[in-house]
Amino acid sequence: MPLVQLNWNPEERQLKQFGWFSLVLLPLVAWFWGATAFLIGIFFGIGALLALMGMVAPRILKPVFVGLSLILMPIGLVVGEIMLVIVFLLVFLPIGLIFRIMGRDRLQLKIDRRRKSYWQPKEPPSQTERYFRQY
């Protein structure tokens, strides 16, 4: 199973959605980059053309969809990795440090030289039917 799967054969529904999203997102991207009103209008026109093509003949949008997917896939991979690092640093690292400061050792990893054995006896179940009801 590959790490990232690229949709080489999108369905018509997905191509129609791509057309409508381009109608909204292309002008927004131009506006975000600080483009002039004329350039935003051009991007809106391109988005309207893609939306119209998506409604009339969605299969025409397949090369545009696959091409943009190929171009933007590395950006998605990098952003995904950055988000994982941020979640790790902002969530798991502080929790681990707090547990370390508190001295929490739920896995009993500290070595106790005074113990003869680390074996922990387990009580057998009171009824054998319990084996068949695991949850």
Side-chain angles (χ1 to χ4, degrees):
M1 182 172 169
L3 178 66
V4 177
Q5 288 183 335
L6 187 63
N7 190 0
W8 293 100
N9 295 312
E11 298 176 4
E12 286 193 11
R13 179 175 178 260
Q14 193 173 12
L15 292 171
K16 286 179 183 180
Q17 290 173 349
F18 172 71
W20 284 110
F21 282 129
S22 65
L23 176 65
V24 176
L25 292 179
L26 281 177
L28 279 177
V29 167
W31 174 76
F32 183 71
W33 280 344
T36 62
F38 178 72
L39 194 58
I40 292 173
I42 290 175
F43 273 66
F44 181 77
I46 294 171
L49 181 66
L50 290 175
L52 180 66
M53 287 180 0
M55 292 308 295
V56 175
R59 284 286 155 203
I60 296 174
L61 292 179
K62 181 180 176 183
V64 177
F65 178 83
V66 172
L68 281 176
S69 296
L70 279 171
I71 292 169
L72 297 177
M73 183 179 58
I75 296 171
L77 287 172
V78 170
V79 169
E81 293 295 322
I82 290 172
M83 292 306 295
L84 282 174
V85 168
I86 289 172
V87 167
F88 177 79
L89 292 176
L90 294 179
V91 176
F92 295 108
L93 183 67
I95 291 173
L97 290 175
I98 290 170
F99 285 166
R100 172 84 43 121
I101 291 169
M102 290 174 24
R104 183 176 180 191
D105 188 26
R106 294 292 294 169
L107 297 177
Q108 299 174 354
L109 298 175
K110 292 181 184 174
I111 297 174
D112 186 5
R113 304 276 183 208
R114 294 176 285 142
R115 292 179 77 171
K116 292 182 180 181
S117 171
Y118 284 98
W119 181 265
Q120 295 179 355
K122 179 157 178 15
E123 296 286 329
S126 58
Q127 303 169 354
T128 55
E129 293 86 27
R130 177 90 168 102
Y131 287 120
F132 298 106
R133 291 182 291 122
Q134 295 180 12
Y135 301 105

